[in-house]
Amino acid sequence: EGPPKYIWEALKLLNVKRIDHGVQCIKDKKLVEELIKSQIPLTICPLSNIKLKIFKTLKDHNLKKMLDINLSIILSQIILLLLYPYLL
């Protein structure tokens, strides 16, 4: 979960069409505006974010805020749900 700067670099240098694990984008208003305007989806994995201690609990996660401001979100959980018992 890198800072917004890394997302900007991916957009500008690599011309990506999707950002994986972009929950930190919310810290940069101009980046959020660009993601919305360009309709670049963010693949978000809330349980992974909890496991990596990006957020303490699911209630603390910024997913709802991201949806509320119309960011395009792809939820990714299938693999993590299958592996979760082995990650404890």
Side-chain angles (χ1 to χ4, degrees):
E1 297 298 340
K5 175 185 173 187
Y6 292 176
I7 299 172
W8 276 118
E9 289 173 352
L11 293 173
K12 292 180 180 180
L13 299 175
L14 303 174
N15 196 28
V16 298
K17 302 298 179 204
R18 181 188 83 217
I19 300 290
D20 288 342
H21 305 285
V23 295
Q24 302 297 342
C25 74
I26 207 92
K27 295 179 178 179
D28 183 329
K29 185 178 179 178
K30 288 187 182 212
L31 176 56
V32 168
E33 290 170 1
E34 178 63 26
L35 292 168
I36 292 169
K37 181 181 101 180
S38 301
Q39 297 182 332
I40 303 286
L42 302 164
T43 301
I44 305 298
C45 188
L47 292 179
S48 174
N49 296 146
I50 302 304
K51 190 69 176 169
L52 294 171
K53 302 189 186 315
I54 308 300
F55 300 99
K56 193 172 185 176
T57 68
L58 285 175
K59 284 186 178 184
D60 299 325
H61 202 285
N62 64 1
L63 176 61
K64 181 168 178 357
K65 183 175 183 179
M66 295 172 83
L67 291 169
D68 287 346
I69 61 174
N70 294 320
L71 280 164
S72 179
I73 303 295
I74 300 168
L75 285 177
S76 177
Q77 294 300 133
I78 302 294
I79 299 300
L80 187 60
L81 287 174
L82 293 173
L83 295 176
Y84 193 73
Y86 303 101
L87 297 174
L88 297 176

